[in-house]
Amino acid sequence: MTCDRLVCANCAGPVSEARCAVCRAERDRRHRQGPLASLTPTALLALLLTLLAVALLATQAVGV
């Protein structure tokens, strides 16, 4: 999730505008995280299963 849609509970402003210290801290924390940090556990599991399926198909194609 990006900061564009988050609303600060402290100042009720958009986090992307960083009106208060809480907004600034959350915006900075989100920008420091890697690209996979915002994925849900379900999405990570789906990605893992997809990679396993591709690896299985690749090993079968090489064996033929």
Side-chain angles (χ1 to χ4, degrees):
M1 180 181 289
T2 62
C3 296
D4 298 336
R5 296 184 180 187
L6 294 178
V7 176
C8 179
N10 191 43
C11 69
V15 172
S16 60
E17 292 180 8
R19 294 180 185 175
C20 69
V22 175
C23 293
R24 285 188 293 277
E26 181 62 22
R27 185 182 65 179
D28 292 342
R29 186 183 67 82
R30 289 194 177 267
H31 287 291
R32 273 185 274 131
Q33 291 178 343
L36 297 178
S38 62
L39 290 178
T40 63
T42 306
L44 287 173
L45 181 62
L47 179 62
L48 178 65
L49 290 175
T50 303
L51 289 173
L52 286 172
V54 168
L56 180 64
L57 289 174
T59 57
Q60 287 181 352
V62 171
V64 171

